[in-house]
Structure formats: C-alpha cells, structure tokens
Amino acid sequence: MSKITQQISNSALSNVHQYGSEKSFVTDKSISITRLDQMSKNHQHHPSLSQLHEDAWESNGSNKNSTDKEKYIHQLPEHAQNLKLNEPLSTSSEATHHEIKNIWINQKGSINDHHQQKRRKNYKRSCLYRKKYLCICLSTIFLCIAIAIVLAIVLTTLERKNSPLITPALRWNTSGITIVGTGGVPGKTSNLLNVPYGLGFDSSETLYIADHYNNRIQKLITSTSNCVTVAGHFNGTSGITSDRLNQPVGILFDSSDNMYVADRLNHRVQLWVKDATYGITVAGGNTSISLARPSGLARDPDSGTIYISESSNHRVTSYPSGIVVAAGNGAGYNKNQLNVPYGLTYESISKSLIISNGNANNIVRWTLGANSWTHVAGNITGGSGNTSTLLNLPVGSTIDPMGNIYVADATNHRIQFFLAGEPDGKTIAGITGVSGVNSTLLKLPYWIILDKQLNLYVADTFNHRVQKFLRY
C-alpha cells in the first residue's frame, strides 16, 4: 500500500508541474505522502480507482463534459491509469475515501493559490506602472506650464522694450480750461491769484496753489473756482512768523497729507500738519540745515526723505539728514554743477532726481550717490533756444509713470513733452514764442503737474491763472 501511495503522490507532484513551480508545492507533497502512509497502515479497504477518479473529477469541476473528463483522467499519474479501474485498492472506509479525495482538492487549492499570488503580483506591478506613468505625465504638464509662463514673461518684457512708450492715448486738448484766476488779472480775493507758482495735490487730488506774490497757499474748493487759504495770511501779507510765508514756491504732501512749503524768501521749509493754522520750520531758518532760496521739493515715498532744491546755493539738500545730494560746487555748466535749480521730481525706479536746471536751460538726472548728472533734455552746455530740442528757462518739470518728462519752458511760453530717453520734445500746450491770454496761449508758465488721469495742470504764472488741459 505504501508503494501505491508513494506512486500517487509522486504522480500528483508531476501533475502540479503543469501548473506551477515545484517549490510552491513541496509542502503539499510531504503532507500527501505522510497522510497516505497513515491511510495504508490504518485501513485495509479503499474505494476502487474508478471511484477515486470520479471523485477527483467532481472536485475539479463537475460542469465539464465527458470528453474533458477522459482528458482529465489521462492526466492522472501513469501508474494509476495502468491499474484496473474497478479493482479495489485495499480495504476501505468512508473516511479514507474522503482523505484521498482531499489530497486532490488540496493540490488544486495550491495551484489556485499560486495563480492568485501571481495575479496579485501582476496587479501590483500594473498599479506601480500606472503611478509612474501618472507622475511622468503630471511632471511633463507642470514643466510645460512653467516654460509657458517664462516665455510669456520674456516676450512681454521684450515687447515693452521694443514698443514706443507714447501712444495715441497720450494727447491733450490744445485749449485750456481755467480752473482758478482770471486771465491777465491779479488779485487777492478767493477767486483770484497773483503770480501762481508751485502746484500740488493731496491724496484726494485736491489742488493746492502757491500764490507767490500773495504770500499764501490756496486750496481749491472742489467744483468751484474759489479757494480757501490754508497757509500764510489770506490778505496776502508776508511775514517771518510761524503763520506767515514770504513768496512760497514748492508744495509737497506726505502720506498723511501733511504739507511742506518751500518758503523762499524766508529761506526755510515749513511743515504744516494737516488742518494746522501755523507751520513748523524743519529745514533752514534757525535749524542746523542751512538753505538759500529753496524752490522745489520732492519726496522718496519709501524712506520719507525730502529733497530741497536751493536756487541760490545751486544744489539739492536732503531732509532730515541735511546732506547735500546733488552739486554744491557753485553755479556752472559742468556735470558736477547746477545753475539755479528750480523744479524737482523724485523717480523711485531709478532712485534719481529729475532737476530743472533753470539758468543752464536743461533738464538733468542726478542719481542718488552719484557725483554728476546725466543729460535729459535741452542744451547740454547751457545754451537756450526755441527748437524742439532746446529750452529757455525751464522752471517746473515732472515725470509720468512711463518715464516721460514734462517741462514748463517758461520763456518759450509752452509746455514740452519728452518721450522717455528722447531729446526731441513736442509742444503739448501753448505756442512756441507766443504769449497771450486766450485758451490756447500761455504767458511765462512756471509749473506743471499731472493728475492720475494724466490731465495737465499748468501754472500760467503771468496770466495769474491755473489752466487744465484735458487728456483725450
């Protein structure tokens, strides 16, 4: 009986070779041999081999047809096929029959386990490949987006550099609207001016005017042509006390709408805290910062530093440090000198000052920390003229967000526009060399500012009025 059992077990093992590796079934083989040996010792009768084949067939799939059944039987161990199918193997019992039957079932289960493990491995491998593929796809997409963003930035930058800064939108009506004053008529009433000079806006774009010969600062009442006096005496009386001014020029507001005034003939800069009725001397006067005829004021919005042009000292001084930041080498036409500087504008991008170099008939740029200026407009050697490249006593000047320069070309009775980086100017208000009182003419304009819509406000100084030229 042991011999037959061994043959059946070996036969089962050989059958397993058709489904998987020998390693996967070593354990099943040893279990089968041990179990069959016990059966041969403890039992004397077994079902016939035919019955064994039938049971094994049923365990492996009873839905198969008879042809499949014959094929299945032929797959049984060779020595088992040679035995007589109806010959009893030995004495048997019902329990023994089921034990033998279970050997086949266990072998089938082992095969199924093997395939399930293989399917699991394949599934895991498939999931891993999918994850890798997804990661590659996402990385590629993000890389493409990054490249597109970089290209867009580069192309936009190149387009800006290659595009002209002036556009058809930068044009103005040639006829001015009188905001305050009466053409050719000086006066001291609330609707009149006497030689208006510097102009300024507070944070709400309310207009303030340095009414030069009336020794006061006038605030324009919105939607009217009347003003209210906010610094100095309303009747035009000059003085040196804290509530008086003497021929004020430049006006500047800080971020809190406190007002700074260049009090020219008092040689000082006065701070008028918002809504105050008197000023505080912050530079010049009896302070440690000496000034001589301060004219223009400019402010660095980042540091809060205020820059003061001194017409009689031919230099620019800073407050609160008192350091001279431009020139200071006497009047002259050299690049380390200024000659009666008036208007002053700070440009944040370049950290430089745009200076109206009045008696040198040019506009220059002085970068903070530098020892000399660079030429912007007008004659670099100081000559005057009335062509598109020349100026004649430039007083006020300003700059727009695109870097274009605007100049009150006083003795030429015009406002000149210089495209950023270009020396050739264009007249946008007034007529060159022609003074007059009608809406298209100016008379010795001293100052110019821009509102947020780039409308022009011009101090038409010796017409005693302020003109507005609308941008369209």
Side-chain angles (χ1 to χ4, degrees):
M1 181 60 193
S2 297
K3 181 177 180 181
I4 293 174
T5 303
Q6 186 68 37
Q7 288 175 345
I8 292 172
S9 299
N10 289 337
S11 175
L13 180 61
S14 65
N15 209 20
V16 167
H17 286 306
Q18 299 178 14
Y19 298 95
S21 64
E22 182 177 353
K23 182 178 179 180
S24 301
F25 301 97
V26 171
T27 304
D28 292 333
K29 175 181 176 184
S30 61
I31 292 172
S32 300
I33 294 171
T34 304
R35 191 64 182 157
L36 289 175
D37 283 343
Q38 291 175 353
M39 290 161 52
S40 64
K41 293 177 182 178
N42 299 330
H43 304 280
Q44 296 181 355
H45 296 284
H46 297 278
S48 66
L49 189 60
S50 175
Q51 184 62 44
L52 179 62
H53 291 171
E54 291 290 342
D55 291 343
W57 164 254
E58 291 174 2
S59 300
N60 281 276
S62 59
N63 293 328
K64 298 179 181 179
N65 57 37
S66 58
T67 304
D68 293 333
K69 178 178 178 181
E70 291 178 1
K71 291 180 180 179
Y72 178 76
I73 292 173
H74 282 297
Q75 292 175 0
L76 294 174
E78 183 179 352
H79 64 275
Q81 295 180 39
N82 293 332
L83 295 174
K84 294 179 180 180
L85 295 177
N86 294 321
E87 180 180 346
L89 293 173
S90 176
T91 58
S92 175
S93 69
E94 189 65 23
T96 304
H97 168 75
H98 288 295
E99 298 269 357
I100 296 173
K101 180 179 178 181
N102 287 339
I103 294 173
W104 291 88
I105 294 172
N106 290 337
Q107 290 174 346
K108 176 188 174 185
S110 298
I111 295 170
N112 289 339
D113 289 344
H114 168 70
H115 287 299
Q116 288 176 1
Q117 291 175 3
K118 190 172 183 180
R119 281 194 294 271
R120 289 192 195 100
K121 290 180 180 179
N122 290 338
Y123 177 75
K124 290 180 180 179
R125 190 179 296 113
S126 176
C127 290
L128 182 61
Y129 288 154
R130 288 174 186 170
K131 289 179 181 178
K132 289 182 178 178
Y133 178 75
L134 181 61
C135 289
I136 292 172
C137 289
L138 290 175
S139 299
T140 303
I141 291 170
F142 289 139
L143 180 61
C144 291
I145 292 173
I147 292 173
I149 292 172
V150 172
L151 287 175
I153 293 172
V154 171
L155 291 175
T156 302
T157 303
L158 290 175
E159 185 176 339
R160 286 177 179 174
K161 287 183 178 180
N162 295 329
S163 299
L165 292 177
I166 188 169
T167 67
L170 283 180
R171 57 189 181 185
W172 296 264
N173 286 325
T174 56
S175 294
I177 301 169
T178 301
I179 300 299
V180 62
T182 300
V185 180
K188 296 180 180 181
T189 61
S190 63
N191 64 333
L192 293 177
L193 303 170
N194 192 352
V195 185
Y197 212 131
L199 303 175
F201 284 123
D202 64 13
S203 61
S204 63
E205 288 202 328
T206 298
L207 181 65
Y208 292 74
I209 306 150
D211 193 3
H212 190 63
Y213 281 180
N214 279 332
N215 306 298
R216 64 189 183 183
I217 304 299
Q218 298 291 86
K219 175 183 177 181
L220 181 65
I221 300 172
T222 305
S223 302
T224 74
S225 59
N226 293 320
C227 297
V228 58
T229 301
V230 294
H233 201 280
F234 72 92
N235 66 7
T237 304
S238 65
I240 198 170
T241 59
S242 62
D243 63 338
R244 300 296 174 96
L245 299 170
N246 194 347
Q247 295 191 8
V249 179
I251 304 172
L252 174 71
F253 288 89
D254 64 17
S255 57
S256 299
D257 277 344
N258 301 312
M259 181 175 65
Y260 294 80
V261 179
D263 189 8
R264 176 184 273 181
L265 294 189
N266 280 330
H267 309 288
R268 66 186 181 182
V269 172
Q270 293 289 89
L271 167 62
W272 293 71
V273 177
K274 185 176 181 181
D275 299 326
T277 58
Y278 60 91
I280 301 169
T281 303
V282 295
N286 58 1
T287 70
S288 60
I289 302 174
S290 177
L291 300 176
R293 294 203 173 196
S295 295
L297 300 174
R299 180 175 179 269
D300 178 350
D302 297 323
S303 67
T305 301
I306 293 175
Y307 300 97
I308 308 159
S309 66
E310 300 180 62
S311 296
S312 292
N313 277 335
H314 313 287
R315 67 187 185 184
V316 177
T317 302
S318 64
Y319 165 79
S321 68
I323 297 172
V324 175
V325 297
N329 300 305
Y333 302 97
N334 296 319
K335 288 190 174 183
N336 66 342
Q337 294 177 306
L338 295 172
N339 196 339
V340 189
Y342 289 117
L344 194 63
T345 304
Y346 178 78
E347 186 182 45
S348 296
I349 295 175
S350 62
K351 296 188 182 303
S352 63
L353 297 167
I354 306 300
I355 305 170
S356 295
N357 197 14
N359 281 8
N361 301 298
N362 55 34
I363 306 296
V364 298
R365 179 190 300 274
W366 201 298
T367 301
L368 295 178
N371 295 318
S372 61
W373 49 257
T374 57
H375 176 256
V376 174
N379 192 321
I380 194 170
T381 60
S384 64
N386 60 9
T387 65
S388 61
T389 60
L390 297 177
L391 300 169
N392 194 349
L393 189 60
V395 181
S397 60
T398 191
I399 187 169
D400 68 21
M402 295 164 283
N404 304 314
I405 306 293
Y406 303 74
V407 181
D409 188 11
T411 309
N412 280 327
H413 313 291
R414 65 185 182 181
I415 305 300
Q416 291 294 91
F417 172 84
F418 292 88
L419 188 66
E422 296 293 331
D424 196 7
K426 175 184 177 183
T427 301
I428 57 175
I431 296 175
T432 302
V434 180
S435 66
V437 75
N438 68 38
S439 62
T440 62
L441 296 176
L442 301 170
K443 186 176 182 180
L444 293 169
Y446 273 8
W447 219 260
I448 179 173
I449 58 173
L450 302 168
D451 64 17
K452 293 177 182 177
Q453 289 73 44
L454 301 185
N455 298 308
L456 306 175
Y457 290 77
V458 179
D460 189 8
T461 303
F462 284 88
N463 272 330
H464 312 289
R465 66 186 179 183
V466 175
Q467 296 288 87
K468 180 179 180 179
F469 294 86
L470 292 172
R471 172 175 166 252
Y472 68 97

